Amino acid sequence: MKHQRQQPTAQRIVERRAQKAVGLLKRLHRTLVEQMIDELIECEEALANMEEGGWSPYDVQKIEEKFLPRLPNLQSMMQQIASVHSEPVYAPPMIHRHKTLKAKEAEFDGALGEFLKTLGPAEVHGFQVHRSGDDVTAVVLYSTPQ
């Protein structure tokens, strides 16, 4: 039997694109750090002159303005893109359901509360209540992830 290659899922496609984007940002980050190192080394003489009072704070300010805002922003961008790996791209389809609850009027609130606790991540869309004497019947409409 011939093994058929499966098509990548939408989630996997987004993950691959995110990995590529993070890789590009890492390269950019490395390039900026290397440029910063080069400029610091070029300013070595100015830094040495600082001890003699001849160094201008403008040299440091120029380096700070060029690199310091960019490096943390790149790190933040990489983290944001990397977070795509742990989040689903599409929400799973919802299954619509209903539940009929029957109880005496005095016990109905407790029965409804217990049922709602069991739903977990379900979304309640509404319910209808019918009273007949001391008996209460309710139909709860809800949806749950598949």
Side-chain angles (χ1 to χ4, degrees), residues 21-101:
V22 168
L24 293 170
L25 287 172
K26 284 181 180 179
R27 285 177 29 205
L28 178 59
H29 185 267
R30 181 180 178 93
T31 300
L32 280 175
V33 169
E34 289 172 357
Q35 288 175 1
M36 184 175 63
I37 290 168
D38 291 343
E39 288 195 27
L40 284 169
I41 291 172
E42 287 174 12
C43 291
E44 183 178 16
E45 187 176 318
L47 292 170
N49 289 336
M50 182 181 80
E51 295 172 357
E52 299 168 9
W55 178 69
S56 167
Y58 175 74
D59 294 324
V60 169
Q61 184 180 357
K62 186 171 65 174
I63 292 170
E64 285 176 348
E65 287 174 357
K66 185 173 183 178
F67 296 105
L68 292 185
R70 293 180 183 160
L71 295 174
N73 287 340
L74 285 174
Q75 291 283 22
S76 176
M77 289 169 64
M78 285 186 270
Q79 290 172 350
Q80 291 296 321
I81 292 171
S83 72
V84 169
H85 298 287
S86 62
E87 297 177 12
V89 177
Y90 302 106
M94 301 296 275
I95 298 173
H96 299 283
R97 300 175 186 245
H98 70 279
K99 174 75 174 179
T100 302
L101 301 171

